[in-house]
Amino acid sequence: DFEVLTSTLETHLSGKSETGGASDLAVQANLSSGRKVGGVLDYSVANLFIDRMLGDDGDRGKVIDHVVREFELGIERISESIAGGNIDEIERNAHSLKGSLGLVGARDAYDLAKGMELSAVSHGANFNPDHWLMLIRNAFEPLRACLVELKSE
């Protein structure tokens, strides 16, 4: 777990991805057919989750839109917890976001939410929740691009 977290942090801190630091989110997420994504999204997990959550209308777009909104709300809850200065609440909200991200197979964002959660639990003097939130938000953009791509499948 520590090695995965370290790799994820290096990717987001340096701005480099496994695709060589490409700025285009779709390229960064490697959305080509037969895709193996460098940590952004495990498509097999995402597709299983989406298929299980489909309503009677079979509209994948609705499920994906709901997932994206939930992630946005989770990030907002963390932001509000940071503004309130409540480390226990930051930890709880990071834990909740981590669980949601894990269900969908959002690897990088999951690892970052886990890192934030563990840092908050340790209550270390060097815990900088604003920095963790920035990293999570940055990881969310390529994730959003991957999820939007799934709408058309």
Side-chain angles (χ1 to χ4, degrees), residues 2-147:
F2 182 74
E3 289 176 11
V4 171
L5 178 58
T6 302
S7 172
T8 302
L9 286 172
E10 286 174 3
T11 298
H12 289 280
L13 289 173
S14 69
K16 295 179 183 173
S17 71
E18 288 186 8
T19 60
S23 60
D24 180 69
L25 294 178
V27 172
Q28 210 173 22
N30 190 12
L31 294 176
S32 61
S33 60
R35 51 202 167 208
K36 170 156 176 28
V37 176
V40 176
L41 184 66
D42 182 327
Y43 281 85
S44 61
V45 172
N47 280 313
L48 283 172
F49 177 82
I50 292 165
D51 290 345
R52 287 185 183 149
M53 300 306 292
L54 283 176
D56 292 335
D57 60 5
D59 188 347
R60 293 174 62 84
K62 283 183 185 177
V63 174
I64 292 167
D65 289 342
H66 179 77
V67 166
V68 169
R69 276 193 306 278
E70 284 300 312
F71 292 162
E72 291 169 339
L73 286 171
I75 291 169
E76 183 59 33
R77 284 186 205 104
I78 291 172
S79 180
E80 291 169 1
S81 299
I82 291 169
N86 186 333
I87 292 180
D88 290 333
E89 192 173 297
I90 293 168
E91 180 266 323
R92 280 192 303 276
N93 286 319
H95 176 80
S96 294
L97 180 61
K98 177 190 77 173
S100 297
L101 292 163
L103 285 173
V104 178
R107 293 176 179 170
D108 280 354
Y110 170 90
D111 289 336
L112 292 167
K114 181 177 182 177
M116 179 182 231
E117 175 191 17
L118 294 174
S119 295
V121 166
S122 72
H123 294 276
N126 294 326
F127 176 53
N128 183 343
D130 290 316
H131 184 74
W132 281 103
L133 183 59
M134 179 208 54
L135 294 171
I136 291 168
R137 283 184 170 145
N138 288 342
F140 181 64
E141 292 310 315
L143 172 61
R144 182 194 319 260
C146 291
L147 290 170

